[in-house]
Amino acid sequence: MNDADADAERIAADPRYIALVRQRGRFTWTLTGVMLAAYLGFILLIAFDKDLLARPIGAGVTSIGIVIGFGVIVLAIVLTGIYVRRAARVFDPLTQALRGETRA
């Protein structure tokens, strides 16, 4: 067994690493569920209520479907930003701390 394998095993057994993996996994699955629900809801509206989506907003030519579709895209961008912010503030410092202890 080389040093890299020993370091990997030591990190994998660290309770902080286990907590980090669980916390990150729970967070990413939550964001995935939100995005999946929004996208699936939009697709179901397309499939089952085209009249609602085709309804224009006000006197213009923009329909409700365009606005909802744009909202799904914006939601994806916002969820990505939320993940990046959380990763930079919480996950990355914990990862760096674990790496630093391993290299020391």
Side-chain angles (χ1 to χ4, degrees), residues 8-30:
E9 286 183 19
R10 192 168 42 253
I11 290 173
D14 191 317
R16 293 172 301 160
Y17 175 75
I18 294 167
L20 171 66
V21 170
R22 284 188 184 142
Q23 183 182 15
R24 187 176 55 201
R26 191 170 36 251
F27 185 64
T28 55
W29 279 113
T30 300

Side-chain angles (χ1 to χ4, degrees), residues 15-85:
R16 293 172 301 160
Y17 175 75
I18 294 167
L20 171 66
V21 170
R22 284 188 184 142
Q23 183 182 15
R24 187 176 55 201
R26 191 170 36 251
F27 185 64
T28 55
W29 279 113
T30 300
L31 295 179
T32 299
V34 169
M35 189 66 227
L36 187 61
Y39 184 73
L40 183 62
F42 182 58
I43 296 301
L44 289 173
L45 274 175
I46 292 170
F48 296 110
D49 201 356
K50 289 181 177 82
D51 293 334
L52 172 69
L53 295 177
R55 193 174 303 153
I57 296 175
V61 295
T62 303
S63 69
I64 292 175
I66 296 293
V67 173
I68 294 174
F70 184 72
V72 169
I73 294 169
V74 169
L75 177 64
I77 294 167
V78 167
L79 291 178
T80 301
I82 290 170
Y83 178 81
V84 168
R85 182 177 180 176

